[in-house]
Amino acid sequence: MKKTLPIIIAVLGFALLSLAQSPSSTAATAAQDSTAIRPFTVPIVPQAALDDLRRRIAATRWPEKETVADDSQGVQLATMKALAAYWGKTYDWRKCEAKLKALPNFITTIDGLDIHFIHVRSKNPNALPVIITHGWPGSIVEQLKIIDPLTNPTAHGGKAEDAFDVVIPSIPGYGFSGKPTTTGWDPQHIARAWIVLMKRLGYTKFVAQGGDWGAVITDQMGVQAPPELIGIHTNMPGVIPVDVDKAAQSGAPAPLGLSADEKLAYERLQFVYQKGIAYGYQMGLRPQTLYGIADSPVGLAAYFLDHDARSYEMIARVFDGKTEGLTRDDVLDNITITWLTNTALSGARLYWENKLAFFSVKGVSIPVAVSVFPDELYPTPRSWAERAYPKLIYYNKLPKGGHFAAWEQPELLVGELRAAFKTLR
C-alpha cells in the first residue's frame, strides 16, 4: 500500500487538474448566460502530479542509440537523455505556472465547448485588438513573450500608437480549453469560434495573427471575412500553388519556369513532405493510437521535438548547452503543460479533423501581411504571396528565426506586427 499511495495521489492530482478545465467544472455557472466571459484561475498543479512526472521520467526505458551519426533516424538519444536529465531533476514547472497565473485568464462557452483565453488590454484606449493563435506542438506558452511588448510598446522600444489589445486562446483540445467530445472542431470551426469570441469581447474592429495551425486558422478567418476583421498577419503563409503542392508531394522535380526563390521554396517543401511531416500523417489518420505519448513524458517530449528539421536542430543545440532563441525551460514549459493537462491526444485530433491542404492557397480576400523567417518550413517567395493574397499589404524577409516565431524571436515578431498593421489602424 505504501508503494501505491504516491501513484494514487498523483492520479487524483491529474483528475483534479482535468476537472479544473472540463465543462463540468463550470456547473456552478450553468444558470448563467452561456455566452458569459468568466474569469479562469490557472490551477495549481498538485505536487503529487509533479512528483509522478519526475518518477516517470526516471523510469524511462531507453532504446539503443541510433545507428547513424546524424538525426536522419529521428530525435537522437543524446538529446533526449540530456532533456530527461534536466526535466527530471532541475526543471521547475512552478515558474511557468506563476507566469500564467499572473495574466488575466478567462473562459467562455462557444458551441458547447469551453474556450480558454488570455486577454490583456493595453492602457492605450486606441489599441488595436489582435487575436493570436498558437500551433502544434504548442500552446499559449508560445506567445507569452510577446504580450507585454504588444500591449505596452513604450516600455519595449515602440511608440504609444503601436499598442495592441491581445487575445490568446487555447485551441480546442489544447491546454486549458475544453476537449471536444464530438467531431467537427476543424480549422474552419475554430475560425468561426474566434470571430464569435472577439465580437463577444465587444470588439467591432480587430486583426488576427498565427503560425502553424494558427496560420491555417487565421487564413480561414480571412476566408470567412467578417466585417469586423480588417486584416491578418501570418508567418506560415498558405501560398503554395495547387500544381506545385501536388508535385512536391509526389517527389517530382521542380516544375519548369520557377524563379530562384520559388525553386528554393519548392525544394524545402518537398523535403518537408518526404522527410519531415510523418507526425502529421500519423495524427491525421490514427490519432487515437498514440497512447504512448499520453503515457510516457519522454515519449511525448521526443514526439514534440521532431516537428521540423531546423527547429529540432536548434532545440538539440539548446540541450547541448548552446545559447539559442529558446531555452531549456521554454521547451519544457510547452511540453509540460501538455503533459499536465493530458492533451496530447485531444490536440492530435485536430490533424484528423482537418481536410484542408496545410500550405496551399486558401482564398483569402481581406488585407494580409506576411513575414518570412528564414528557417520556416519553406521561405515564401513574394510572387506566391502576391498571387495567394490579392490584398497583400506587407511582405518582409527576416534575418533569423524559424517556425515558432513568437516563441523563438519575440522581438522580431513584435516589430513585424507593429509594421504590418500600421496602415490598418
Side-chain angles (χ1 to χ4, degrees):
M1 182 63 181
K2 289 183 179 179
K3 292 182 179 179
T4 59
L5 185 58
I7 297 174
I8 293 171
I9 293 173
V11 171
L12 289 173
F14 282 120
L16 288 171
L17 187 62
S18 296
L19 184 64
Q21 65 178 26
S22 69
S24 61
S25 68
T26 62
T29 63
Q32 297 180 8
D33 182 352
S34 64
T35 65
I37 304 294
R38 312 185 296 276
F40 176 83
T41 300
V42 173
I44 297 175
V45 176
Q47 185 59 43
L50 298 178
D51 293 342
D52 178 70
L53 171 58
R54 286 190 165 184
R55 179 189 64 78
R56 288 170 180 258
I57 294 168
T60 299
R61 185 173 71 168
W62 294 100
E64 65 283 353
K65 182 181 182 294
E66 60 276 3
T67 58
V68 291
D70 55 23
D71 61 6
S72 59
Q73 292 184 353
V75 179
Q76 293 155 296
L77 183 64
T79 297
M80 289 311 303
K81 284 201 167 182
L83 179 150
Y86 183 78
W87 197 12
K89 296 178 181 177
T90 306
Y91 171 77
D92 184 4
W93 164 253
R94 298 297 184 202
K95 293 179 181 178
C96 184
E97 187 176 78
K99 290 178 188 176
L100 292 171
K101 290 182 74 66
L103 294 165
N105 287 264
F106 301 90
I107 201 160
T108 191
T109 305
I110 300 176
D111 295 341
L113 191 71
D114 277 354
I115 301 297
H116 161 264
F117 61 98
I118 294 169
H119 185 200
V120 182
R121 293 184 185 271
S122 173
K123 293 180 180 179
N124 185 336
N126 297 316
L128 178 63
V130 59
I131 182 167
I132 305 174
T133 310
H134 65 82
W136 183 97
S139 66
I140 52 172
V141 166
E142 286 181 42
Q143 280 86 25
L144 295 184
K145 298 174 189 175
I146 65 175
I147 294 174
D148 200 61
L150 289 174
T151 57
N152 187 20
T154 55
H156 299 272
K159 301 177 181 178
E161 56 266 31
D162 292 328
F164 291 86
D165 281 358
V166 175
V167 178
I168 302 173
S170 297
I171 293 175
Y174 289 69
F176 300 121
S177 277
K179 301 174 184 179
T181 57
T182 58
T183 60
W185 279 95
D186 57 16
Q188 297 96 316
H189 191 169
I190 297 170
R192 291 194 298 272
W194 281 192
I195 293 165
V196 169
L197 173 60
M198 293 300 280
K199 292 166 70 173
R200 192 173 288 182
L201 290 171
Y203 291 125
T204 57
K205 180 178 79 169
F206 61 89
V207 294
Q209 195 282 330
D212 195 84
W213 275 125
V216 178
I217 292 165
T218 298
D219 262 358
Q220 288 307 301
M221 293 176 72
V223 170
Q224 294 165 21
E228 296 85 359
L229 180 63
I230 60 173
I232 65 173
H233 174 274
T234 174
N235 53 282
M236 194 192 81
V239 299
I240 309 298
V242 174
D243 59 330
V244 173
D245 197 36
K246 287 182 178 178
Q249 290 186 55
S250 72
L256 297 176
L258 297 183
S259 69
D261 284 352
E262 292 169 347
K263 187 174 181 182
L264 174 61
Y266 178 84
E267 290 169 350
R268 292 268 293 272
L269 180 64
Q270 190 172 69
F271 177 86
V272 168
Y273 282 135
Q274 292 180 348
K275 304 287 186 180
I277 203 171
Y279 59 86
Y281 296 132
Q282 169 69 43
M283 291 186 286
L285 293 171
R286 310 283 286 180
Q288 193 64 28
T289 299
L290 294 169
Y291 293 94
I293 66 172
D295 184 62
S296 165
V298 167
L300 176 67
Y303 204 72
F304 273 22
L305 261 57
D306 206 14
H307 177 273
D308 68 276
R310 286 172 172 78
S311 294
Y312 167 68
E313 288 167 1
M314 176 187 61
I315 292 170
R317 292 194 297 269
V318 168
F319 283 98
D320 193 34
K322 307 294 192 302
T323 300
E324 298 283 350
L326 299 179
T327 66
R328 293 179 296 181
D329 283 2
D330 287 333
V331 175
L332 289 171
D333 286 344
N334 187 55
I335 299 168
T336 305
I337 193 173
T338 302
W339 174 263
L340 293 173
T341 55
N342 194 17
T343 48
L345 264 63
S346 56
R349 293 189 193 105
L350 180 54
Y351 284 83
W352 185 90
E353 292 283 357
N354 179 57
K355 302 298 183 290
L356 299 168
F358 288 112
F359 312 120
S360 65
V361 178
K362 305 296 191 300
V364 179
S365 58
I366 68 172
V368 178
V370 168
S371 296
V372 180
F373 289 84
D375 289 334
E376 181 53 274
L377 302 182
Y378 50 87
T380 294
R382 179 186 284 272
S383 57
W384 288 355
E386 290 174 342
R387 198 181 316 168
Y389 302 121
K391 294 184 179 179
L392 185 71
I393 59 170
Y394 180 85
Y395 174 93
N396 189 38
K397 290 184 176 182
L398 283 300
K400 61 181 178 179
H403 185 71
F404 302 99
W407 200 25
E408 179 200 342
Q409 299 294 337
E411 292 182 5
L412 290 180
L413 186 67
V414 166
E416 288 298 283
L417 293 188
R418 291 173 182 170
F421 292 127
K422 188 177 292 291
T423 61
L424 297 183
R425 290 181 180 269

